[in-house]
Structure formats: structure tokens, C-alpha cells
Amino acid sequence: MTTPISNLPRRMPGWAKVLSAIVLVLVVLFAGLRLSLVPGLKDLFGTETQDRSGPALLKSVQDISRYEAASGNFQVVVDLEKDAKLLPDAIRGTRTLYVGAGTVDAFVDLGRVDEADVRVDGDRTSATLRLPHAALGEPALDPERSYAVSKQRGLLDRLGDLFSDNPNGEQAVQKLAARHIADAAKDSELKERAESNTTAMLRGLLHSLGFEEVRVVYGP
């Protein structure tokens, strides 16, 4: 009995065998890496971070004459949601829960003090200083303590992230966190603490120079 030639099993081409072997090896390797079955695989296929940044350039220098008298630490939880009209959140919309932590400094600008603001008696035992009220600096977010708790995005927003230059950008929630921290600093007693600390510093300095009575007042 003879078998027709058309029914004989066809041999797999050589290039197909090589390709199948490569695919099989890759599957085994990645399965071992995923399940940690083969020691050392994670080190073999691990990522390596390289810092190729250029050197920092000094753009300008500015003299500072203000006395940093107090600093406040703040934390805020930002819940930012953006919805699209006529579309459900599952299709278009984002919601980000972000914890922002940062500091705000309070300072007294001693550069605004001139000769008319300093009065000293004849025997140099009493002095009166008039200083501007303390002011608040810009809030500075701490990247080590600020983080996104959760991010919810609609389908269209996720597709847009694939073609975005910064898919994980958190600029909007960071700005909102800084704004809330600035508002909290205004409602706090940070400026009063700064003026109290500045007064104590100046009194200690002038007492060491021989002044017995030192009066510090704040005004516009």
C-alpha cells in the first residue's frame, strides 16, 4: 500500500525551527523572570538608570537682605476632578487624589530699613528700630513627601496619554496644592512668629553691643 505524496507530512523549514526555538527560549526566560524561578535573571534583565544631565549653569546672583525668621510645614490632600460635558467619566474625565507637602518661609526685609527707622539715644544705651511687617515667601513643595494616591482616567484620556510627552504630569494638582498651602500659611500665625523671632534676634544682638533697652516696632 502506497501513501499519496500529497498526504505525506511536510517538513518544517529550517528558518521556522530556529524562530520557534528562539521564541521558546524567550518564553522560558521571561516566565522564569516573572516567577523568580531562575536565580540571577532579575539582575540579568534589570534596568539601569544613567544620569546624562548636563552641568547646572549659574544664570544670575541676587543679594538677599531679608531675615528668614520662621518656617511652616504644611500638608494638604488635593482631590481634583475634571469632567466632560455629555460624556460619562468612563469615557472622558480624570480624577486625581494627591498629597502635597511643603514649606512656607516668613521673613522680615531688613533691606527696607534706613537711617530714619533707627533711633539711638545720646549715651547709646537705648535704641528704637522700626521694621516692615513680616511677609510670606512662595510655598515650596517637597517632592520626597508629595505623591499621587490614585489616578482615575477615562478611556479617551488614557489613549491620549499614549501620545503625550508627559503622561504622568501632575502639574495641575501641584499648583493647586501650592495654592492651598499658601492660603493656609496666610491664615496661620507664621508672620507673627517671624516678627517675634526677629525682635528676639535684634534684642540679643544689640544687648551684646552694650544697649540696655531695645525697642522694636513694626509698621508699613
Side-chain angles (χ1 to χ4, degrees):
M1 180 178 180
T2 59
T3 304
I5 296 178
S6 58
N7 294 335
L8 291 175
R10 297 182 179 179
R11 280 190 171 187
M12 181 180 295
W15 63 267
K17 292 182 179 180
V18 174
L19 180 60
S20 300
I22 293 176
V23 171
L24 180 60
V25 170
L26 290 177
V27 170
V28 172
L29 286 177
F30 283 106
L33 179 63
R34 183 74 175 179
L35 301 176
S36 300
L37 296 178
V38 181
L41 276 182
K42 286 189 176 181
D43 296 334
L44 179 62
F45 292 96
T47 59
E48 181 180 357
T49 302
Q50 296 184 5
D51 185 3
R52 302 185 185 277
S53 306
L57 301 178
L58 177 63
K59 303 296 292 184
S60 64
V61 176
Q62 182 178 2
D63 294 331
I64 298 178
S65 58
R66 64 189 192 184
Y67 176 63
E68 303 284 348
S71 181
N73 294 300
F74 298 88
Q75 181 172 300
V76 61
V77 178
V78 176
D79 188 352
L80 181 60
E81 183 175 3
K82 295 183 179 181
D83 297 325
K85 295 182 178 179
L86 305 179
L87 289 176
D89 295 342
I91 301 299
R92 182 66 185 273
T94 61
R95 183 176 181 180
T96 305
L97 194 63
Y98 182 83
V99 175
T103 58
V104 177
D105 295 331
F107 63 92
V108 176
D109 189 359
L110 300 179
R112 294 171 52 188
V113 179
D114 54 28
E115 294 182 359
D117 296 320
V118 180
R119 290 182 297 174
V120 179
D121 64 351
D123 56 0
R124 296 183 60 82
T125 59
S126 177
T128 300
L129 293 83
R130 185 176 185 85
L131 306 179
H133 282 296
L136 297 175
E138 296 294 329
L141 287 181
D142 185 355
E144 298 293 333
R145 299 187 296 127
S146 303
Y147 56 93
V149 178
S150 65
K151 296 179 182 180
Q152 300 176 7
R153 295 167 296 169
L155 178 60
L156 295 181
D157 296 279
R158 294 186 180 185
L159 291 176
D161 288 345
L162 295 177
F163 304 96
S164 174
D165 293 335
N166 186 19
N168 297 320
E170 298 173 348
Q171 186 176 10
V173 289
Q174 288 176 349
K175 287 184 176 180
L176 193 56
R179 188 188 313 166
H180 286 309
I181 289 177
D183 292 339
K186 293 178 183 178
D187 296 334
S188 69
E189 299 180 356
L190 198 55
K191 291 191 289 185
E192 288 79 3
R193 175 69 68 86
E195 293 181 1
S196 176
N197 292 342
T198 303
T199 299
M201 182 272 295
L202 291 174
R203 283 178 176 170
L205 177 62
L206 294 179
H207 284 159
S208 67
L209 296 177
F211 288 89
E212 299 177 358
E213 180 181 357
V214 178
R215 184 168 177 263
V216 181
V217 295
Y218 294 88

